Amino acid sequence: MNAWLRAGAGLITGLGLVAAAASWRLTHSVRAALAVLLDFLTAAGLLQLAGEPSWDSIILAAAVIALRKLLGASLHLSGAAAPSRSPR
């Protein structure tokens, strides 16, 4: 079962890359693409934890979640500080 979970995590990671690229292509927003990618990476990390959790997989999942939170907060703050453009 552990091999299936690792394969599933790899598949989710690959699909996350494709979904992030599609998100960027459709919205032209790096913020949206990064959010999609980090959500998929979080899912892949948690799927790996469903097998036999090792310290390596726990640290990896925690690092991805911390990175997701940090980048999400950073992108949220930078979006709030950016001047808005009004159409003329």
Side-chain angles (χ1 to χ4, degrees):
M1 186 67 169
N2 198 15
W4 285 99
L5 292 174
R6 285 193 186 272
L11 179 64
I12 288 174
T13 301
L15 290 174
L17 291 170
V18 171
S23 174
W24 179 78
R25 178 79 171 131
L26 292 172
T27 65
H28 298 289
S29 170
V30 173
R31 226 182 263 154
L34 190 57
V36 168
L37 178 62
L38 289 174
D39 284 341
F40 272 86
L41 291 178
T42 301
L46 293 176
L47 187 62
Q48 281 188 331
L49 283 177
E52 295 178 24
S54 66
W55 283 109
D56 290 339
S57 61
I58 291 171
I59 291 170
L60 181 63
V64 168
I65 291 170
L67 181 66
R68 179 182 180 271
K69 291 290 187 180
L70 181 68
L71 288 175
S74 173
L75 290 173
H76 180 67
L77 289 176
S78 70
S84 62
R85 291 186 171 179
S86 59
R88 293 183 186 202

